[in-house]
Short mmCIF file of all heavy atoms in Angstrom, two decimals:
data_model
loop_
_atom_site.label_atom_id
_atom_site.label_comp_id
_atom_site.label_asym_id
_atom_site.label_seq_id
_atom_site.Cartn_x
_atom_site.Cartn_y
_atom_site.Cartn_z
N MET A 16 113.63 123.73 33.10
CA MET A 16 113.81 122.37 33.65
C MET A 16 115.31 121.90 33.41
O MET A 16 115.84 122.20 32.33
CB MET A 16 112.94 121.40 32.98
CG MET A 16 111.44 121.67 33.11
SD MET A 16 110.82 121.46 34.74
CE MET A 16 110.26 119.78 34.70
N THR A 17 115.85 121.30 34.48
CA THR A 17 117.23 120.93 34.37
C THR A 17 117.30 119.43 34.72
O THR A 17 116.69 118.97 35.64
CB THR A 17 118.14 121.70 35.38
OG1 THR A 17 118.04 123.02 35.12
CG2 THR A 17 119.55 121.25 35.37
N THR A 18 118.11 118.68 33.99
CA THR A 18 118.32 117.26 34.21
C THR A 18 119.73 117.06 34.73
O THR A 18 120.68 117.59 34.11
CB THR A 18 118.02 116.39 32.91
OG1 THR A 18 116.69 116.61 32.56
CG2 THR A 18 118.29 114.95 33.20
N GLN A 19 119.90 116.35 35.80
CA GLN A 19 121.17 116.07 36.37
C GLN A 19 121.21 114.54 36.80
O GLN A 19 120.24 114.00 37.15
CB GLN A 19 121.49 116.91 37.56
CG GLN A 19 121.84 118.37 37.21
CD GLN A 19 122.41 119.07 38.38
OE1 GLN A 19 122.13 118.71 39.51
NE2 GLN A 19 123.10 120.12 38.05
N THR A 20 122.48 114.09 36.83
CA THR A 20 122.72 112.76 37.44
C THR A 20 123.44 113.01 38.72
O THR A 20 124.43 113.70 38.79
CB THR A 20 123.58 111.88 36.48
OG1 THR A 20 122.81 111.71 35.25
CG2 THR A 20 123.83 110.51 37.10
N LEU A 21 122.96 112.38 39.75
CA LEU A 21 123.58 112.42 41.09
C LEU A 21 124.41 111.15 41.32
O LEU A 21 123.73 110.03 41.29
CB LEU A 21 122.48 112.64 42.17
CG LEU A 21 121.51 113.71 42.00
CD1 LEU A 21 120.48 113.62 43.13
CD2 LEU A 21 122.20 115.07 42.05
N GLU A 22 125.69 111.19 41.63
CA GLU A 22 126.42 110.06 41.95
C GLU A 22 126.32 109.91 43.43
O GLU A 22 126.57 110.88 44.22
CB GLU A 22 127.81 110.22 41.55
CG GLU A 22 128.04 110.37 40.04
CD GLU A 22 127.68 109.15 39.24
OE1 GLU A 22 127.81 108.02 39.76
OE2 GLU A 22 127.24 109.34 38.07
N ILE A 23 125.81 108.79 43.95
CA ILE A 23 125.46 108.62 45.35
C ILE A 23 126.23 107.52 46.00
O ILE A 23 126.28 106.36 45.46
CB ILE A 23 123.93 108.27 45.48
CG1 ILE A 23 123.12 109.41 44.82
CG2 ILE A 23 123.54 108.06 46.95
CD1 ILE A 23 121.63 109.08 44.65
N GLY A 24 126.87 107.77 47.06
CA GLY A 24 127.65 106.84 47.84
C GLY A 24 126.87 106.18 48.95
O GLY A 24 125.97 106.77 49.50
N GLY A 25 127.20 104.91 49.25
CA GLY A 25 126.55 104.21 50.28
C GLY A 25 125.37 103.30 49.91
O GLY A 25 124.80 102.61 50.78
N MET A 26 124.95 103.38 48.71
CA MET A 26 123.85 102.52 48.22
C MET A 26 124.39 101.13 47.86
O MET A 26 125.32 100.98 47.14
CB MET A 26 123.21 103.14 46.97
CG MET A 26 122.52 104.46 47.18
SD MET A 26 121.90 105.21 45.70
CE MET A 26 120.53 104.09 45.29
N THR A 27 123.73 100.11 48.43
CA THR A 27 124.21 98.73 48.20
C THR A 27 123.11 97.68 47.90
O THR A 27 123.42 96.61 47.46
CB THR A 27 124.90 98.20 49.44
OG1 THR A 27 124.09 98.20 50.54
CG2 THR A 27 126.19 99.02 49.80
N CYS A 28 121.78 98.13 47.99
CA CYS A 28 120.80 97.09 47.80
C CYS A 28 119.47 97.77 47.38
O CYS A 28 119.32 98.97 47.23
CB CYS A 28 120.56 96.36 49.19
SG CYS A 28 119.97 97.42 50.50
N GLY A 29 118.46 96.89 47.29
CA GLY A 29 117.14 97.34 46.88
C GLY A 29 116.47 98.28 47.86
O GLY A 29 115.77 99.29 47.47
N HIS A 30 116.78 98.02 49.12
CA HIS A 30 116.26 98.99 50.14
C HIS A 30 116.84 100.39 49.98
O HIS A 30 116.11 101.32 50.15
CB HIS A 30 116.62 98.45 51.59
CG HIS A 30 116.16 99.35 52.68
ND1 HIS A 30 114.88 99.51 53.07
CD2 HIS A 30 116.93 100.11 53.45
CE1 HIS A 30 114.86 100.41 53.99
NE2 HIS A 30 116.09 100.77 54.26
N CYS A 31 118.12 100.41 49.71
CA CYS A 31 118.76 101.77 49.38
C CYS A 31 118.05 102.41 48.23
O CYS A 31 117.88 103.56 48.28
CB CYS A 31 120.23 101.49 49.12
SG CYS A 31 121.19 100.74 50.43
N LEU A 32 117.77 101.66 47.21
CA LEU A 32 117.10 102.29 46.04
C LEU A 32 115.76 102.88 46.45
O LEU A 32 115.50 104.02 46.08
CB LEU A 32 116.88 101.20 44.96
CG LEU A 32 118.10 100.67 44.23
CD1 LEU A 32 117.67 99.46 43.35
CD2 LEU A 32 118.74 101.74 43.45
N ARG A 33 115.02 102.11 47.17
CA ARG A 33 113.62 102.64 47.63
C ARG A 33 113.80 103.85 48.51
O ARG A 33 112.98 104.76 48.37
CB ARG A 33 112.86 101.48 48.23
CG ARG A 33 112.34 100.50 47.28
CD ARG A 33 111.44 99.43 48.01
NE ARG A 33 112.09 98.67 49.04
CZ ARG A 33 112.96 97.65 48.77
NH1 ARG A 33 113.15 97.22 47.63
NH2 ARG A 33 113.43 97.00 49.82
N THR A 34 114.73 103.84 49.38
CA THR A 34 114.90 104.95 50.30
C THR A 34 115.28 106.21 49.56
O THR A 34 114.72 107.34 49.77
CB THR A 34 116.00 104.62 51.38
OG1 THR A 34 115.62 103.39 52.04
CG2 THR A 34 116.22 105.77 52.30
N VAL A 35 116.28 106.09 48.57
CA VAL A 35 116.66 107.29 47.83
C VAL A 35 115.47 107.78 46.92
O VAL A 35 115.17 108.94 46.90
CB VAL A 35 117.90 107.03 47.01
CG1 VAL A 35 118.20 108.07 45.98
CG2 VAL A 35 119.06 106.83 47.97
N GLN A 36 114.73 106.80 46.34
CA GLN A 36 113.61 107.14 45.48
C GLN A 36 112.56 107.89 46.34
O GLN A 36 112.03 108.96 45.90
CB GLN A 36 112.99 105.84 44.91
CG GLN A 36 111.80 106.09 44.04
CD GLN A 36 111.26 104.80 43.48
OE1 GLN A 36 111.48 103.71 43.97
NE2 GLN A 36 110.47 104.96 42.41
N GLN A 37 112.23 107.46 47.52
CA GLN A 37 111.24 108.10 48.35
C GLN A 37 111.72 109.50 48.70
O GLN A 37 110.91 110.43 48.72
CB GLN A 37 110.94 107.28 49.61
CG GLN A 37 110.14 106.06 49.26
CD GLN A 37 109.98 105.11 50.53
OE1 GLN A 37 110.72 105.32 51.50
NE2 GLN A 37 109.07 104.20 50.46
N ALA A 38 112.99 109.66 49.08
CA ALA A 38 113.55 110.94 49.49
C ALA A 38 113.46 111.94 48.35
O ALA A 38 113.03 113.13 48.54
CB ALA A 38 114.98 110.77 49.94
N LEU A 39 113.71 111.49 47.19
CA LEU A 39 113.82 112.43 45.94
C LEU A 39 112.42 112.77 45.49
O LEU A 39 112.13 113.95 45.16
CB LEU A 39 114.65 111.83 44.88
CG LEU A 39 116.13 111.86 45.15
CD1 LEU A 39 116.87 111.14 44.03
CD2 LEU A 39 116.70 113.23 45.31
N THR A 40 111.45 111.72 45.43
CA THR A 40 110.12 112.06 44.95
C THR A 40 109.28 112.86 45.94
O THR A 40 108.26 113.30 45.58
CB THR A 40 109.44 110.71 44.62
OG1 THR A 40 109.37 109.81 45.71
CG2 THR A 40 110.09 109.96 43.42
N SER A 41 109.80 113.02 47.17
CA SER A 41 109.07 113.82 48.13
C SER A 41 109.24 115.30 47.82
O SER A 41 108.47 116.15 48.43
CB SER A 41 109.44 113.50 49.51
OG SER A 41 110.81 114.01 49.76
N LEU A 42 110.22 115.68 46.97
CA LEU A 42 110.46 117.08 46.65
C LEU A 42 109.55 117.56 45.61
O LEU A 42 109.53 116.99 44.46
CB LEU A 42 111.94 117.27 46.24
CG LEU A 42 112.97 116.84 47.25
CD1 LEU A 42 114.41 116.96 46.61
CD2 LEU A 42 112.89 117.77 48.44
N ASP A 43 108.85 118.61 45.88
CA ASP A 43 107.96 119.25 44.90
C ASP A 43 108.79 119.91 43.77
O ASP A 43 109.71 120.67 44.06
CB ASP A 43 107.05 120.34 45.54
CG ASP A 43 106.07 120.95 44.61
OD1 ASP A 43 105.52 120.17 43.79
OD2 ASP A 43 105.81 122.17 44.68
N GLY A 44 108.49 119.64 42.56
CA GLY A 44 109.15 120.19 41.43
C GLY A 44 110.28 119.28 40.94
O GLY A 44 110.91 119.71 39.93
N LEU A 45 110.51 118.04 41.44
CA LEU A 45 111.47 117.22 41.06
C LEU A 45 110.89 115.94 40.51
O LEU A 45 109.97 115.35 41.10
CB LEU A 45 112.46 116.89 42.24
CG LEU A 45 113.71 116.00 41.81
CD1 LEU A 45 114.86 116.47 42.53
CD2 LEU A 45 113.43 114.53 42.19
N THR A 46 111.38 115.45 39.29
CA THR A 46 110.92 114.20 38.74
C THR A 46 112.13 113.29 38.76
O THR A 46 113.21 113.62 38.33
CB THR A 46 110.46 114.38 37.31
OG1 THR A 46 109.34 115.36 37.34
CG2 THR A 46 110.01 113.08 36.73
N LEU A 47 111.88 112.09 39.25
CA LEU A 47 112.96 111.09 39.29
C LEU A 47 112.81 110.26 37.98
O LEU A 47 111.88 109.58 37.67
CB LEU A 47 112.71 110.14 40.52
CG LEU A 47 113.76 109.06 40.64
CD1 LEU A 47 115.13 109.59 40.85
CD2 LEU A 47 113.34 108.14 41.83
N ASN A 48 113.91 110.42 37.12
CA ASN A 48 113.86 109.77 35.87
C ASN A 48 114.32 108.28 35.96
O ASN A 48 113.79 107.42 35.32
CB ASN A 48 114.84 110.43 34.88
CG ASN A 48 114.37 111.87 34.65
OD1 ASN A 48 113.21 112.22 34.68
ND2 ASN A 48 115.33 112.73 34.42
N GLU A 49 115.34 108.05 36.82
CA GLU A 49 115.89 106.66 36.95
C GLU A 49 116.69 106.69 38.24
O GLU A 49 117.36 107.70 38.61
CB GLU A 49 116.80 106.36 35.79
CG GLU A 49 117.48 105.07 35.87
CD GLU A 49 118.41 104.76 34.74
OE1 GLU A 49 118.98 105.70 34.18
OE2 GLU A 49 118.56 103.64 34.40
N VAL A 50 116.72 105.60 39.01
CA VAL A 50 117.53 105.40 40.14
C VAL A 50 118.14 103.97 39.99
O VAL A 50 117.45 103.07 39.65
CB VAL A 50 116.75 105.59 41.44
CG1 VAL A 50 115.66 104.59 41.68
CG2 VAL A 50 117.72 105.59 42.65
N ARG A 51 119.43 103.94 40.21
CA ARG A 51 120.22 102.68 40.25
C ARG A 51 121.12 102.75 41.43
O ARG A 51 121.32 103.86 41.99
CB ARG A 51 121.09 102.55 38.95
CG ARG A 51 120.24 102.36 37.66
CD ARG A 51 121.17 102.16 36.52
NE ARG A 51 120.42 102.04 35.29
CZ ARG A 51 120.82 101.54 34.20
NH1 ARG A 51 122.21 101.29 34.12
NH2 ARG A 51 120.20 101.40 33.10
N ILE A 52 121.68 101.61 41.78
CA ILE A 52 122.64 101.69 42.88
C ILE A 52 123.73 102.57 42.48
O ILE A 52 124.40 102.33 41.43
CB ILE A 52 123.08 100.21 43.26
CG1 ILE A 52 121.91 99.47 43.87
CG2 ILE A 52 124.32 100.28 44.18
CD1 ILE A 52 122.27 97.98 44.14
N GLY A 53 124.03 103.56 43.29
CA GLY A 53 125.10 104.49 43.04
C GLY A 53 124.77 105.76 42.26
O GLY A 53 125.57 106.60 42.13
N ARG A 54 123.54 105.83 41.75
CA ARG A 54 123.16 107.10 41.01
C ARG A 54 121.67 107.26 40.79
O ARG A 54 120.92 106.28 40.80
CB ARG A 54 123.90 107.19 39.69
CG ARG A 54 123.38 106.17 38.67
CD ARG A 54 124.04 106.44 37.30
NE ARG A 54 123.78 105.28 36.50
CZ ARG A 54 124.54 104.91 35.51
NH1 ARG A 54 125.53 105.72 35.09
NH2 ARG A 54 124.24 103.91 34.85
N ALA A 55 121.36 108.45 40.57
CA ALA A 55 119.96 108.73 40.30
C ALA A 55 119.96 109.91 39.29
O ALA A 55 120.76 110.83 39.36
CB ALA A 55 119.21 109.29 41.52
N GLN A 56 119.07 109.84 38.30
CA GLN A 56 118.95 110.95 37.29
C GLN A 56 117.58 111.61 37.59
O GLN A 56 116.59 110.95 37.73
CB GLN A 56 118.92 110.43 35.93
CG GLN A 56 118.89 111.49 34.86
CD GLN A 56 118.83 111.01 33.48
OE1 GLN A 56 117.89 110.32 33.09
NE2 GLN A 56 119.78 111.33 32.67
N VAL A 57 117.65 112.95 37.75
CA VAL A 57 116.53 113.74 38.18
C VAL A 57 116.33 114.88 37.20
O VAL A 57 117.29 115.39 36.59
CB VAL A 57 116.62 114.26 39.56
CG1 VAL A 57 116.65 113.07 40.52
CG2 VAL A 57 117.81 115.17 39.73
N THR A 58 115.14 115.27 37.04
CA THR A 58 114.78 116.57 36.32
C THR A 58 114.06 117.47 37.32
O THR A 58 113.15 116.94 38.01
CB THR A 58 113.93 116.29 35.08
OG1 THR A 58 114.60 115.42 34.18
CG2 THR A 58 113.59 117.58 34.37
N PHE A 59 114.46 118.70 37.37
CA PHE A 59 113.86 119.53 38.39
C PHE A 59 113.57 120.92 37.77
O PHE A 59 114.25 121.44 36.95
CB PHE A 59 114.67 119.66 39.65
CG PHE A 59 116.06 120.10 39.50
CD1 PHE A 59 116.37 121.51 39.68
CD2 PHE A 59 117.07 119.30 39.23
CE1 PHE A 59 117.64 121.91 39.58
CE2 PHE A 59 118.39 119.73 39.10
CZ PHE A 59 118.64 121.10 39.27
N ASP A 60 112.55 121.54 38.37
CA ASP A 60 112.13 122.85 37.94
C ASP A 60 112.82 123.81 38.92
O ASP A 60 112.55 123.78 40.18
CB ASP A 60 110.55 122.96 38.20
CG ASP A 60 110.03 124.31 37.78
OD1 ASP A 60 110.81 125.31 37.70
OD2 ASP A 60 108.79 124.37 37.62
N GLU A 61 113.74 124.63 38.44
CA GLU A 61 114.54 125.41 39.31
C GLU A 61 113.74 126.50 40.05
O GLU A 61 114.22 127.05 41.02
CB GLU A 61 115.58 126.24 38.40
CG GLU A 61 116.46 125.23 37.61
CD GLU A 61 115.95 124.98 36.28
OE1 GLU A 61 114.78 125.38 35.94
OE2 GLU A 61 116.74 124.34 35.54
N THR A 62 112.49 126.70 39.60
CA THR A 62 111.66 127.71 40.33
C THR A 62 110.99 127.07 41.61
O THR A 62 110.51 127.86 42.37
CB THR A 62 110.54 128.29 39.39
OG1 THR A 62 109.71 127.24 39.02
CG2 THR A 62 111.13 129.00 38.21
N LYS A 63 111.08 125.78 41.61
CA LYS A 63 110.44 125.15 42.82
C LYS A 63 111.48 124.38 43.73
O LYS A 63 111.30 124.23 44.94
CB LYS A 63 109.49 124.12 42.33
CG LYS A 63 108.32 124.71 41.61
CD LYS A 63 107.30 123.67 41.29
CE LYS A 63 106.08 124.25 40.54
NZ LYS A 63 105.20 123.22 40.23
N VAL A 64 112.61 123.94 43.13
CA VAL A 64 113.57 123.05 43.87
C VAL A 64 114.99 123.23 43.26
O VAL A 64 115.03 123.46 42.08
CB VAL A 64 113.09 121.68 43.97
CG1 VAL A 64 113.15 120.94 42.57
CG2 VAL A 64 113.86 120.83 44.98
N SER A 65 115.96 123.12 44.06
CA SER A 65 117.35 123.26 43.61
C SER A 65 118.05 121.95 43.67
O SER A 65 117.63 121.04 44.29
CB SER A 65 118.08 124.29 44.49
OG SER A 65 118.26 123.71 45.79
N ALA A 66 119.18 121.92 42.96
CA ALA A 66 120.02 120.73 43.03
C ALA A 66 120.54 120.44 44.46
O ALA A 66 120.65 119.34 44.85
CB ALA A 66 121.22 120.87 42.06
N ASP A 67 120.74 121.57 45.14
CA ASP A 67 121.20 121.43 46.51
C ASP A 67 120.13 120.77 47.39
O ASP A 67 120.43 120.06 48.33
CB ASP A 67 121.54 122.80 47.16
CG ASP A 67 122.86 123.41 46.55
OD1 ASP A 67 123.61 122.60 46.00
OD2 ASP A 67 123.05 124.56 46.69
N ALA A 68 118.87 121.10 47.12
CA ALA A 68 117.71 120.47 47.85
C ALA A 68 117.75 118.96 47.61
O ALA A 68 117.50 118.19 48.59
CB ALA A 68 116.46 121.15 47.57
N ALA A 69 117.96 118.60 46.39
CA ALA A 69 118.02 117.17 46.08
C ALA A 69 119.13 116.43 46.80
O ALA A 69 118.96 115.34 47.35
CB ALA A 69 118.13 117.00 44.55
N ALA A 70 120.35 117.11 46.84
CA ALA A 70 121.43 116.50 47.49
C ALA A 70 121.18 116.51 49.04
O ALA A 70 121.56 115.43 49.67
CB ALA A 70 122.74 117.31 47.26
N GLU A 71 120.53 117.45 49.54
CA GLU A 71 120.18 117.45 50.98
C GLU A 71 119.18 116.31 51.37
O GLU A 71 119.27 115.64 52.38
CB GLU A 71 119.68 118.80 51.41
CG GLU A 71 119.46 118.92 52.90
CD GLU A 71 120.84 118.96 53.64
OE1 GLU A 71 121.87 119.35 53.12
OE2 GLU A 71 120.81 118.57 54.83
N ALA A 72 118.23 116.08 50.47
CA ALA A 72 117.26 115.02 50.65
C ALA A 72 117.95 113.62 50.69
O ALA A 72 117.60 112.79 51.49
CB ALA A 72 116.21 115.04 49.55
N VAL A 73 118.87 113.42 49.82
CA VAL A 73 119.75 112.17 49.71
C VAL A 73 120.52 112.07 51.00
O VAL A 73 120.54 111.00 51.63
CB VAL A 73 120.61 112.17 48.47
CG1 VAL A 73 121.62 110.99 48.50
CG2 VAL A 73 119.78 112.08 47.25
N LYS A 74 121.14 113.13 51.48
CA LYS A 74 121.89 113.16 52.65
C LYS A 74 121.04 112.79 53.92
O LYS A 74 121.41 112.01 54.79
CB LYS A 74 122.58 114.50 52.89
CG LYS A 74 123.45 114.56 54.11
CD LYS A 74 124.06 115.89 54.21
CE LYS A 74 124.87 116.02 55.56
NZ LYS A 74 125.43 117.36 55.80
N ASP A 75 119.89 113.46 53.98
CA ASP A 75 118.96 113.17 55.01
C ASP A 75 118.45 111.72 55.07
O ASP A 75 118.07 111.18 56.18
CB ASP A 75 117.75 114.13 55.01
CG ASP A 75 118.05 115.62 55.31
OD1 ASP A 75 119.19 115.85 55.84
OD2 ASP A 75 117.20 116.40 54.98
N ALA A 76 118.46 111.05 53.94
CA ALA A 76 118.11 109.67 53.83
C ALA A 76 119.20 108.71 54.29
O ALA A 76 119.05 107.56 54.41
CB ALA A 76 117.58 109.29 52.42
N GLY A 77 120.41 109.30 54.52
CA GLY A 77 121.53 108.53 54.97
C GLY A 77 122.55 108.21 53.97
O GLY A 77 123.39 107.29 54.18
N TYR A 78 122.52 108.87 52.85
CA TYR A 78 123.51 108.62 51.75
C TYR A 78 124.26 109.89 51.47
O TYR A 78 123.95 110.96 51.91
CB TYR A 78 122.81 108.00 50.48
CG TYR A 78 122.02 106.78 50.87
CD1 TYR A 78 120.71 106.88 51.23
CD2 TYR A 78 122.65 105.58 50.94
CE1 TYR A 78 120.04 105.78 51.64
CE2 TYR A 78 121.90 104.40 51.31
CZ TYR A 78 120.63 104.47 51.64
OH TYR A 78 119.93 103.39 52.06
N GLU A 79 125.28 109.76 50.62
CA GLU A 79 126.14 110.90 50.26
C GLU A 79 126.14 111.20 48.72
O GLU A 79 126.30 110.25 47.96
CB GLU A 79 127.55 110.64 50.74
CG GLU A 79 128.50 111.76 50.44
CD GLU A 79 129.94 111.43 50.90
OE1 GLU A 79 130.21 110.30 51.29
OE2 GLU A 79 130.69 112.36 50.90
N VAL A 80 125.88 112.39 48.34
CA VAL A 80 125.97 112.80 46.96
C VAL A 80 127.51 113.10 46.73
O VAL A 80 128.11 114.05 47.25
CB VAL A 80 125.12 113.97 46.63
CG1 VAL A 80 125.39 114.33 45.13
CG2 VAL A 80 123.72 113.59 46.80
N LEU A 81 128.07 112.20 45.93
CA LEU A 81 129.60 112.40 45.58
C LEU A 81 129.87 113.35 44.52
O LEU A 81 130.91 114.03 44.48
CB LEU A 81 130.15 111.01 45.23
CG LEU A 81 129.88 109.87 46.25
CD1 LEU A 81 130.33 108.58 45.74
CD2 LEU A 81 130.64 110.24 47.58
N ALA A 82 128.90 113.43 43.48
CA ALA A 82 129.14 114.38 42.43
C ALA A 82 127.76 114.56 41.66
O ALA A 82 126.83 113.70 41.83
CB ALA A 82 130.14 113.83 41.42
N THR A 83 127.65 115.65 40.98
CA THR A 83 126.45 115.89 40.07
C THR A 83 127.00 116.25 38.77
O THR A 83 128.00 116.91 38.58
CB THR A 83 125.56 117.00 40.66
OG1 THR A 83 126.34 118.26 40.76
CG2 THR A 83 125.02 116.68 41.98
N HIS A 84 126.32 115.77 37.71
CA HIS A 84 126.65 116.16 36.40
C HIS A 84 125.42 115.97 35.52
O HIS A 84 124.40 115.45 35.86
CB HIS A 84 127.85 115.42 35.82
CG HIS A 84 127.82 113.88 36.07
ND1 HIS A 84 127.23 113.07 35.18
CD2 HIS A 84 128.29 113.11 37.07
CE1 HIS A 84 127.45 111.74 35.66
NE2 HIS A 84 128.01 111.88 36.86
#
């Protein structure tokens, strides 16, 4: 299991929070620890999902992953 923080651009409101939350929680093997405007902390099982898949889900929801750490 790996925990990462995704720095996310374009989030400005509660609707953005819900949208990113829904996008990330739809991924099998990923647990959303916390989401705030501008970032989300996730834990994922590398055998089921990758950090790239999480970034792609955020992008598909209309936001941009600026950095991961």
Side-chain angles (χ1 to χ4, degrees):
M16 301 290 269
T17 300
T18 299
Q19 286 192 336
T20 299
L21 308 174
E22 299 295 331
I23 303 170
M26 295 176 68
T27 59
C28 64
H30 174 74
C31 299
L32 291 172
R33 287 186 299 279
T34 301
V35 169
Q36 181 178 19
Q37 289 173 343
L39 291 171
T40 58
S41 71
L42 298 173
D43 184 39
L45 185 139
T46 301
L47 181 61
N48 301 328
E49 179 182 30
V50 63
R51 293 182 180 196
I52 291 176
R54 74 175 163 198
Q56 185 183 60
V57 297
T58 300
F59 58 94
D60 180 345
E61 303 90 354
T62 65
K63 294 182 179 182
V64 67
S65 67
D67 290 340
E71 190 65 29
V73 170
K74 182 180 174 184
D75 289 347
Y78 303 93
E79 180 181 9
V80 175
L81 305 171
T83 60
H84 49 91

